[in-house]
């Protein structure tokens, strides 16, 4: 399947997260994104170095700026289970705006065409690192990283596109 691209509509899919009351929830991506401007960014794995020290902190640190430019939702997706995503989210106590969504079986990542086979590293199927700017379900910006890189999917790059 071809990777999602500018002009495409994002597919719907159900992801999991823990709410403020620590209850496991399932949410449809379309319910979060329809009629809104959202940033959907993904990382290869929770607790991994670039993801934990650069990618996620950038979106947390720049969330107010992103919101001031009309962004309604900032969604972080990883091919991890919701318990791992909950634990990872708790390592960012200052986070107020980034939602951590679990795509445990990589089904949504595959629907986007952005899966990455890291089986040889013992990680199985993961997500490529990317950031999508989506307006009312249509992709306006699709910044997908080449393997192992972190050059086009940062909060700073997305801010420039707004």
């Amino acid at each position: 399947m071809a990777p999602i691209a500018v002009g495409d509509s994002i597919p719907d899919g159900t992801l999991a997260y823990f709410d403020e009351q620590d209850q496991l929830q399932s949410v449809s991506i379309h319910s979060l994104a329809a009629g809104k401007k959202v940033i959907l960014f993904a990382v290869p794995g929770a607790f991994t170095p670039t993801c934990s020290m650069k990618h996620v902190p950038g979106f947390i640190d720049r969330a107010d700026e992103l919101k001031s430019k009309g962004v309604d939702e900032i969604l972080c997706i990883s091919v991890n289970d919701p318990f791992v995503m909950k634990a990872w989210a708790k390592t960012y106590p200052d986070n107020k705006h980034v939602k951590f969504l679990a795509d445990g079986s990589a089904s949504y990542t595959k629907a986007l065409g952005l899966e990455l086979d890291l089986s040889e590293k013992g990680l199985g199927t993961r997500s490529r690192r990317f950031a999508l700017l989506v307006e009312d379900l249509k992709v306006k910006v699709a910044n997908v990283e080449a393997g192992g890189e972190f050059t086009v999917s940062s909060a700073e790059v997305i801010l420039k596109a707004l």
Side-chain angles (χ1 to χ4, degrees):
M1 180 178 147
I4 191 121
V6 171
D8 292 347
S9 292
I10 59 169
D12 200 5
T14 302
L15 301 177
Y17 72 100
F18 279 89
D19 66 17
E20 295 78 26
Q21 290 74 42
D22 210 26
Q23 298 298 306
L24 183 61
Q25 302 291 331
S26 291
V27 66
S28 135
I29 289 295
H30 279 193
S31 73
L32 292 174
K36 297 179 183 173
K37 184 184 291 189
V38 300
I39 295 168
L40 188 63
F41 76 99
V43 297
F47 295 106
T48 56
T50 301
C51 307
S52 294
M53 294 186 281
K54 294 179 183 174
H55 206 177
V56 169
F59 280 100
I60 290 171
D61 294 344
R62 306 306 280 275
D64 288 331
E65 273 181 88
L66 292 162
K67 294 274 192 175
S68 77
K69 293 192 177 272
V71 172
D72 297 296
E73 297 276 0
I74 305 169
L75 310 172
C76 175
I77 297 177
S78 186
V79 180
N80 290 106
D81 68 65
F83 299 96
V84 168
M85 293 300 280
K86 173 180 139 182
W88 193 34
K90 287 184 179 204
T91 68
Y92 302 101
D94 296 335
N95 178 37
K96 292 176 182 55
H97 300 294
V98 176
K99 285 186 172 74
F100 287 74
L101 302 174
D103 184 19
S105 63
S107 57
Y108 191 70
T109 300
K110 289 175 184 172
L112 291 171
L114 294 172
E115 71 273 12
L116 178 64
D117 184 358
L118 293 176
S119 298
E120 78 280 356
K121 294 183 178 180
L123 299 172
T125 299
R126 295 295 177 128
S127 175
R128 294 181 60 162
R129 183 182 309 283
F130 67 84
L132 304 176
L133 176 61
V134 177
E135 290 184 36
D136 195 20
L137 306 179
K138 292 271 189 216
V139 177
K140 299 296 182 186
V141 175
N143 293 350
V144 181
E145 300 285 359
E149 292 189 9
F150 180 55
T151 58
V152 299
S153 64
S154 69
E156 292 75 19
V157 172
I158 292 296
L159 264 168
K160 290 176 188 169
L162 288 169

